[in-house]
Amino acid sequence: MELSSWFRRSQSKKSKKQDQSNQQELLGVTQELIDHLKSFTLDTFRNFPLQDDEEASYDVEAATTSGTVRKDLSDWQEQHAFLVLSRVKELAHLRFKLCPGYLKEHQFWRIYFMLVKSHVAEYELRAIRLAKLKSMAMENQETSDTGAYEVEMAETKQTASLAPSTP
């Protein structure tokens, strides 16, 4: 009995590690990226040429969701940022030192995603494509469900019109 519970626990741990590994892969958090991030310094962000016109052209209305909460990052970028901050403590420390004293949060992440673009672009594109495929599949499912109802309703009407009326 004790051996079987140990086996289940070890399998559960392996499964969790595999899920984490799959999530890291989907979000582009590879060892190569982690090594690249560890080379970042305060000056990497401070000396990054953010243009004032980029800040001026920043559409506040588009970056606002409900109320006053800003939506600067895509869902994929939010998940990537959360994961990379938890995996790369050096980046978390840089962010703590830079925000909000030197950079605003959205500036930090804009610079970050520009710096890592060559490392994560393919993963983000893959996630966008996957989301689009899921959306299309959901639309097809809804359409086929509606079609089934329409056929069922048509069959019911046809049966009702063919049934003899009783006086």
Side-chain angles (χ1 to χ4, degrees):
M1 184 81 166
E2 194 174 302
L3 182 61
S4 65
S5 67
W6 170 83
F7 182 72
R8 271 187 261 132
R9 281 194 310 267
S10 67
Q11 290 301 326
S12 176
K13 287 178 185 178
K14 286 180 184 178
S15 177
K16 286 178 184 178
K17 284 182 181 180
Q18 190 174 17
D19 288 347
Q20 288 175 344
S21 177
N22 289 343
Q23 182 184 23
Q24 289 175 7
E25 180 68 26
L26 286 173
L27 295 173
V29 182
T30 62
Q31 190 58 48
E32 182 182 345
L33 175 69
I34 292 170
D35 293 341
H36 180 61
L37 296 178
K38 288 181 179 182
S39 72
F40 290 178
T41 64
L42 289 172
D43 290 334
T44 305
F45 286 86
R46 285 184 178 156
N47 297 334
F48 194 86
L50 259 185
Q51 301 297 323
D52 289 337
D53 57 337
E54 284 181 21
E55 224 20 67
S57 69
Y58 182 72
D59 188 358
V60 175
E61 193 170 319
T64 305
T65 56
S66 62
T68 59
V69 177
R70 292 175 66 148
K71 179 75 173 158
D72 298 320
L73 303 176
S74 70
D75 289 339
W76 182 89
Q77 288 174 329
E78 282 181 10
Q79 292 175 1
H80 173 88
F82 181 77
L83 182 60
V84 81
L85 284 174
S86 67
R87 287 284 321 269
V88 185
K89 297 302 179 197
E90 295 86 351
L91 184 67
H93 291 298
L94 284 174
R95 181 173 153 258
F96 179 78
K97 289 178 182 176
L98 291 166
C99 300
Y102 187 78
L103 292 172
K104 295 177 183 171
E105 188 77 18
H106 73 274
Q107 291 173 317
F108 176 87
W109 289 112
R110 184 181 304 151
I111 292 169
Y112 169 83
F113 281 108
M114 287 181 190
L115 290 170
V116 300
K117 185 177 184 175
S118 63
H119 293 275
V120 300
E122 69 180 87
Y123 297 99
E124 187 171 14
L125 186 58
R126 187 180 311 148
I128 291 168
R129 288 179 180 155
L130 185 60
K132 187 157 183 101
L133 286 173
K134 284 181 181 178
S135 171
M136 290 169 56
M138 292 291 286
E139 288 175 14
N140 288 342
Q141 180 66 30
E142 289 173 7
T143 303
S144 66
D145 286 349
T146 304
Y149 294 134
E150 290 172 1
V151 169
E152 189 175 312
M153 292 293 286
E155 288 174 353
T156 304
K157 287 180 183 177
Q158 187 178 27
T159 305
S161 65
L162 294 175
S165 58
T166 50

